[in-house]
Amino acid sequence: MTTTARHRIRLLFPAAMAALAVSATTAAAPTSSATTAEHAVTAHRHQTPAKGPKAMLDAWLRLWNGDFTQASRIISPDFKVHAALLDGGDGSSIRGADGLVAWISQTRAAFPDLRFSLQIDPLIAGHQASVRWTATGTYAGGFPGAKAQPGTTVTFSGTDTLRIKDGKFVEYWLNSDTLQLLTQLHAL
C-alpha cells in the first residue's frame, strides 16, 4: 500500500465511524468541500458553547452530519482523538475544531449521505458522555483497497466516549466495527 493510500485511510476510515448519534431525525446541512468546512469553523469561532451535555451531544451529531458551524461551539482548541487507525496511528494528529472538521470532510467525500442513529440513550456521568450508534450511508468510491461499487449501501456501528471540560469536548475515544465496514466495502 502506498504512503498516499495509507494517509487517505488514516483520515477517511476512522472518521466514518466517529459520529455520535443522538437523534436519527436531525437534518444534515449540505457540504461540498473542505474549503466550505474551514470557512464554517472560522466564521463561527466566537460562538457561545452549547449548554449542558445533552445540548453538546445534539450539536456533536449535527457536526458529524455535516453542520460544521457546530465545531467551534463544542470542540476545545485542545481537543484530541484516540482511535486505532488503519495505518497504525492513534488519532493524535487530529487536533481542535479545524482538525476534526477536516477529518469529517474526508469521511463525507466517501460517504456523502452518511447518517447516524442511536442504538441506546447516551450515558452521561460527570464530565464523560458515551453513546452506541449505527451509521448508514452510500459509498461514493475512493476508499483505498475497496472493491465495492459506488452506490453500495453500508451500515456499521460503534461507540463514542467524550470528555467534557469547560463546556466543550476535549477528548474523544472511538470504538467501531471496522470488520463490518471493510467487509461491506469488499476491502478484505
Side-chain angles (χ1 to χ4, degrees), residues 75-133:
I75 303 300
S76 167
D78 299 324
F79 180 79
K80 58 185 171 180
V81 174
H82 304 279
L85 305 179
L86 290 179
D87 68 356
D90 61 4
S92 62
S93 64
I94 303 163
R95 294 291 191 155
D98 292 333
L100 182 61
V101 166
W103 195 31
I104 295 168
S105 294
Q106 288 290 324
T107 300
R108 297 193 73 75
F111 306 95
D113 64 348
L114 197 60
R115 302 296 302 168
F116 298 85
S117 62
L118 185 65
Q119 287 185 347
I120 61 170
D121 289 335
L123 302 173
I124 300 170
H127 299 288
Q128 306 276 337
S130 187
V131 69
R132 177 77 179 163
W133 48 262

Side-chain angles (χ1 to χ4, degrees), residues 1 5 9 139 142-148 182 185-188:
M1 183 175 293
I9 287 172
Y139 176 56
F143 190 95
K147 295 178 185 99
L182 290 176
L185 291 175
H186 305 287
L188 297 177

